[in-house]
Amino acid sequence: MHPLRRLFQHAQQYRRQVALASTFSVLNKLFDVLPEVLIGVAVDVVVSRKSSFLARFGATDPHHQLTLLAAITVFVWVFESTFEYLYAVRWRNLAQNLQHDLRMQSYAHVQRLELSWFERTRTGTLMSTLNDDINQMERFLNGGANDLIQVLTGTVLVGAVFFTLTTKIAFLALIPIPLIIYGAFWFQARLASRYAEVREAAGTLNARLNNNLLGIATIKAYAAEDYEVQRIQESSDRYRAANAFAIRFSAAITPVIRMAILAGFTVTLLYGGFLALRGEIGVGSYSVLVYLTQRLLWPMTRLADMSDLYQRSMASVERVMNLVETPVKISYAGAPLAAKDVKGELVFDNVDFSYGDTPTLQGISLRITPGQTIAFVGGTGGGKSTLVKLLLRFYEPTRGKVLLDGRAIDELDLQALRRCIGYVAQDSFLADATAAQNIAYGLSDVSREDVVAAAVAAEAHEFISELPNGYDTEVGERGQKLSGGQRQRIALARAIVRNPRILVLDEATSAVDNETEAAIQRSLERLVVGRTSLIIAHRLSTVRRADCIHVLDAGRIVESGTHDELLVRGGLYASLWRLQTGEGSA
């Protein structure tokens, strides 16, 4: 399906605005063409006087004719200016509204896509689509759509005047128009693929820039500034080369169109002049024909710019529509789930999961009773984090089921499921907002007292109070104004304020200092009471008090038991304990 048709299918609510804007464009062009006709009428009045065209309507005095003509001219110019204002306002507002709606629709859709989609898609490419491509579409609607309508309208109006005055010149003067239009579409067809390459190159460049800005500390630490400048230059060169290839092609449109215009204008000038000299057409009519030929054909030189802008926009629209129409593989719909009714029983029933062709979990079966604290430990890549991602439905199991209180979670409303789970990751995301807003993140009905209470429980109140504006201090992009330990304590407070029935801690203390770890551990000892808690940890000292510890290796549970039971058993857990502590027992 053509990108423009796809765009307007997604913008059906704007059909009335499009119709109004198009009507104003047509009316503006109608009044824009009339001054050239009035010039011819004025020449006719001066030359023919009482025998002029206007004399047929009762105004025989040439002075009265000119006065009438002046009044008509004022009327025409006022209406031409009025409709120019109206179409400009309509098209620009339409462009802004459609840009806004499409960006919000795209972003809302992106947020519903599964986590694996984000792992396959570069952030810079996605940013390029959500910003650059949507802005490119807005630039076309701002001016290009009006230009196309007015060129078409002008062709029809001027053609009608030509055939009214003399068919002899009309056919000759209008011959270049089909050639110009055919040439413009011929160029468009060949520009489409070139601008698709330009947008892809722009996405690649944005992806690399975004990646480097996020990793600026590492770049500086390894003195890799020159190396990264070189890589950015390579991407920018590819973008520039793709653009240059398209520019060379699009730049050829205008000279070709100018030659066709020259042919039409020359025919009108010479052949029309001959007819006027022989008295077959009036001097006024000849003036109208000369002026209108220029008015008809000269705007067609803008077809080059319009074609260029159109093809850039269509390449961008294609990318945006592909994004909007990306299928959501994990459905948000499902049975309602009230957080107050959740008991917290979890069952993993013979669960398998694979990233592509690589098995990550194999035959995981376990039951977690409400209020239990369960730990998952093991080597890197054992599948620990994948288990909780299945619980949060970031992914769907390849086989088997995950159940909450006896109900399969893929049959529950997805957002309701996630709202009853408090999740703290190893590298918790903080929004570019205040400390209080980050603690209340995603909740609209949380009081400041609840926020402070959650911070106190997470042992974050003291350092937050010492910030320049306390709880109203902006923490910066991704919380960069805070230390890693401070970010984790705010993330923990964010989980606490939700009062979840299920708590998930995915390496929540692995990247913090000993003091922060101790503070978080004290908070967790209070927080896990009465909740179903799943704790993933590399530091075994943080899970000693868990009701049950499951040891994962190569995607399978190879050991289960309490800390003491596993040490006595002398298996993989005991080996990991000795490796970390040098002890043989508790």
Side-chain angles (χ1 to χ4, degrees):
M1 187 186 298
H2 193 276
L4 193 60
R5 185 177 178 186
R6 294 173 69 184
L7 174 63
F8 280 103
Q9 281 187 348
H10 280 79
Q12 293 185 7
Q13 71 270 31
Y14 292 112
R15 285 182 176 177
R16 183 172 179 273
Q17 288 90 323
V18 171
L20 275 174
S22 300
T23 300
F24 293 144
S25 294
V26 170
L27 290 173
N28 167 259
K29 193 62 183 178
L30 171 63
F31 285 99
D32 184 51
V33 167
L34 287 178
E36 275 67 26
V37 176
L38 295 177
I39 290 173
V41 174
V43 171
D44 185 52
V45 169
V46 172
V47 173
S48 302
R49 297 178 180 266
K50 294 184 178 183
S51 301
S52 69
F53 173 76
L54 279 182
R56 302 175 190 176
F57 299 93
T60 55
D61 186 340
H63 294 86
H64 291 166
Q65 293 178 29
L66 290 175
T67 302
L68 176 62
L69 199 58
I72 295 173
T73 300
V74 171
F75 171 84
V76 167
W77 278 80
V78 167
F79 273 82
E80 189 273 337
S81 299
T82 300
F83 287 120
E84 181 176 6
Y85 169 79
L86 291 174
Y87 84 63
V89 169
R90 285 289 177 176
W91 280 118
R92 291 177 184 178
N93 282 336
L94 174 64
Q96 292 298 317
N97 292 335
L98 188 55
Q99 176 196 45
H100 169 77
D101 289 353
L102 194 57
R103 179 176 286 118
M104 296 311 301
Q105 183 182 4
S106 301
Y107 178 70
H109 183 77
V110 163
Q111 288 199 125
R112 300 174 74 88
L113 295 172
E114 65 281 0
L115 196 61
S116 59
W117 183 87
F118 289 92
E119 292 168 350
R120 299 190 305 268
T121 306
R122 291 181 296 189
T123 303
T125 301
L126 183 56
M127 290 296 295
S128 176
T129 302
L130 292 173
N131 278 314
D132 296 347
D133 287 326
I134 291 177
N135 291 341
Q136 187 69 49
M137 178 268 314
E138 180 251 351
R139 283 190 286 272
F140 170 69
L141 288 177
N142 259 339
N146 172 71
D147 285 345
L148 286 172
I149 291 171
Q150 292 210 328
V151 165
L152 178 61
T153 304
T155 301
V156 173
L157 292 175
V158 174
V161 174
F162 264 63
F163 280 101
T164 299
L165 294 176
T166 170
T167 56
K168 294 179 180 179
I169 298 179
F171 281 113
L172 293 174
L174 297 179
I175 282 176
I177 292 179
L179 299 177
I180 291 171
I181 294 174
Y182 173 79
F185 280 104
W186 186 85
F187 276 104
Q188 279 182 8
R190 281 147 186 81
L191 277 171
S193 61
R194 289 166 172 79
Y195 281 128
E197 294 172 8
V198 169
R199 298 314 309 154
E200 287 299 321
T204 300
L205 177 59
N206 280 345
R208 186 156 290 176
L209 286 168
N210 180 76
N211 186 69
N212 285 6
L213 292 174
L214 291 175
I216 191 64
T218 302
I219 292 172
K220 288 179 175 293
Y222 283 87
E225 291 93 338
D226 292 342
Y227 170 71
E228 290 299 343
V229 166
Q230 179 63 34
R231 294 182 71 210
I232 293 297
Q233 181 174 331
E234 291 171 1
S235 294
S236 186
D237 282 342
R238 281 194 290 272
Y239 174 60
R240 183 174 60 175
N243 249 320
F245 189 49
I247 288 169
R248 284 196 299 271
F249 201 81
S250 65
I253 303 176
T254 299
V256 171
I257 291 175
R258 282 177 180 270
M259 293 303 101
I261 290 172
L262 175 62
F265 186 75
T266 303
V267 166
T268 303
L269 186 68
L270 285 176
Y271 189 50
F274 294 154
L275 292 178
L277 289 172
R278 293 200 298 264
E280 295 184 29
I281 60 173
V283 175
S285 297
Y286 175 59
S287 301
V288 171
L289 292 174
V290 171
Y291 280 118
L292 283 183
T293 301
Q294 184 178 17
R295 177 52 65 97
L296 168 65
L297 297 177
W298 196 251
M300 290 191 173
T301 59
R302 298 207 310 274
L303 279 175
D305 293 333
M306 283 185 276
S307 177
D308 186 77
L309 181 59
Y310 175 80
Q311 285 303 339
R312 286 180 181 269
S313 299
M314 290 306 101
S316 293
V317 167
E318 184 80 11
R319 282 160 54 93
V320 174
M321 290 297 103
N322 287 342
L323 176 62
V324 170
E325 294 169 8
T326 300
V328 177
K329 295 182 180 179
I330 297 180
S331 173
Y332 273 59
L337 178 68
K340 61 183 178 61
D341 297 330
V342 174
K343 298 180 176 63
E345 181 189 52
L346 295 173
V347 174
F348 289 81
D349 182 14
N350 199 28
V351 170
D352 290 355
F353 180 76
S354 299
Y355 291 103
D357 297 328
T358 306
T360 305
L361 295 175
Q362 302 178 65
I364 301 295
S365 293
L366 57 92
R367 180 181 297 274
I368 302 170
T369 59
Q372 271 193 318
T373 298
I374 304 298
F376 298 97
V377 301
T380 301
K384 306 181 297 298
S385 294
T386 303
L387 270 175
V388 298
K389 289 176 180 177
L390 292 177
L391 173 61
L392 286 159
R393 289 192 68 202
F394 291 162
Y395 306 104
E396 299 280 37
T398 308
R399 189 184 66 157
K401 290 279 187 181
V402 181
L403 296 92
L404 170 61
D405 294 341
R407 304 165 71 185
I409 63 172
D410 60 353
E411 298 174 1
L412 300 173
D413 179 272
L414 181 55
Q415 290 193 323
L417 168 70
R418 290 172 178 169
R419 288 192 184 106
C420 71
I421 300 173
Y423 176 61
V424 183
Q426 178 180 359
D427 183 19
S428 293
F429 166 80
L430 294 188
D432 188 3
T434 67
Q437 288 169 336
N438 271 285
I439 293 173
Y441 188 69
L443 301 175
S444 58
D445 56 350
V446 178
S447 67
R448 177 56 66 94
E449 290 74 19
D450 291 335
V451 168
V452 173
V456 170
E459 299 198 16
H461 177 70
E462 183 177 350
F463 84 78
I464 293 176
S465 300
E466 293 173 354
L467 294 173
N469 296 311
Y471 281 83
D472 296 317
T473 301
E474 298 281 340
V475 301
E477 186 178 8
R478 301 181 65 87
Q480 289 181 352
K481 294 181 180 179
L482 305 178
S483 69
Q486 290 172 333
R487 290 196 295 270
Q488 281 302 86
R489 279 186 269 185
I490 286 183
L492 183 58
R494 182 166 60 196
I496 293 172
V497 80
R498 291 174 173 270
N499 192 26
R501 297 302 306 152
I502 301 170
L503 182 65
V504 174
L505 304 169
D506 189 356
E507 304 284 4
T509 63
S510 64
V512 298
D513 57 78
N514 292 333
E515 181 182 351
T516 302
E517 180 184 359
I520 292 176
Q521 282 300 121
R522 290 192 298 270
S523 300
L524 290 179
E525 288 175 7
R526 298 188 294 269
L527 183 59
V528 299
V529 176
R531 308 176 198 274
T532 302
S533 303
L534 279 62
I535 302 174
I536 296 170
H538 275 109
R539 296 182 187 176
L540 302 186
S541 59
T542 62
V543 298
R544 291 179 61 179
R545 294 183 177 85
D547 296 318
C548 184
I549 301 171
H550 297 287
V551 184
L552 277 79
D553 184 44
R556 297 181 182 274
I557 296 177
V558 295
E559 290 182 317
S560 298
T562 64
H563 171 75
D564 293 335
E565 290 170 349
L566 292 172
L567 287 182
V568 170
R569 194 172 299 167
L572 180 58
Y573 182 86
S575 299
L576 292 172
W577 179 261
R578 287 192 297 271
L579 183 65
Q580 290 187 16
T581 67
E583 300 178 18
S585 61

